[in-house]
Each structure stands twice: as C-alpha cells, then as structure tokens.
Amino acid sequence: VHPDAPDSDRINLTGGVSYRIGESFMIDASYRFINPKKRIAQNDFHNMTGVYKTYGHVVGLGFTYSF
C-alpha cells in the first residue's frame, strides 16, 4: 500500500433524528463518525515509510416541505 492511496479498514458509527414542525415541515439531522484503522505504508520510490491514523466527522442537516 502506498501513501498516495489512503484507504484502510474502518469503523463507522452513524445516527440521525427527524423532527416534524407542523404538517408541512420536517427537519432531519445526521452524524457519522469514521474511524479508520492505523495503516503502515511505504513508498519505495521516495524511501518514505509512514504510519497513518485519521478520524472523520460528517454532519448532515435536511429540510423537508411537503404540500
């Protein structure tokens, strides 16, 4: 695996809620936490070895209007 392809096995935790406001409006919120496993990579061309560990947070917000 090379450092220019930062992919690994990961654990994802997600959740979401919806809240109705009256008969026509609804608000939706979501959250995702991404926890990739630690990855050791080596680039032989540049003689670079690295340990990569990252985290990700994704937040979503949606509005619905029905008529």
Side-chain angles (χ1 to χ4, degrees):
V1 177
H2 292 282
D4 57 351
D7 198 12
S8 66
D9 293 338
R10 58 186 83 158
I11 297 172
N12 292 290
L13 300 173
T14 61
V17 295
S18 295
Y19 182 72
R20 183 171 294 280
I21 303 172
E23 293 188 21
S24 299
F25 291 99
M26 188 167 18
I27 297 175
D28 303 305
S30 63
Y31 174 75
R32 177 181 178 193
F33 174 71
I34 307 166
N35 184 10
K37 290 184 177 179
K38 180 172 66 172
R39 185 171 74 92
I40 299 172
Q42 183 172 348
N43 185 331
D44 294 328
F45 183 73
H46 294 290
N47 195 22
M48 295 172 55
T49 300
V51 176
Y52 299 87
K53 181 67 178 158
T54 60
Y55 297 99
H57 302 274
V58 180
V59 177
L61 187 61
F63 299 95
T64 304
Y65 174 75
S66 57
F67 52 93

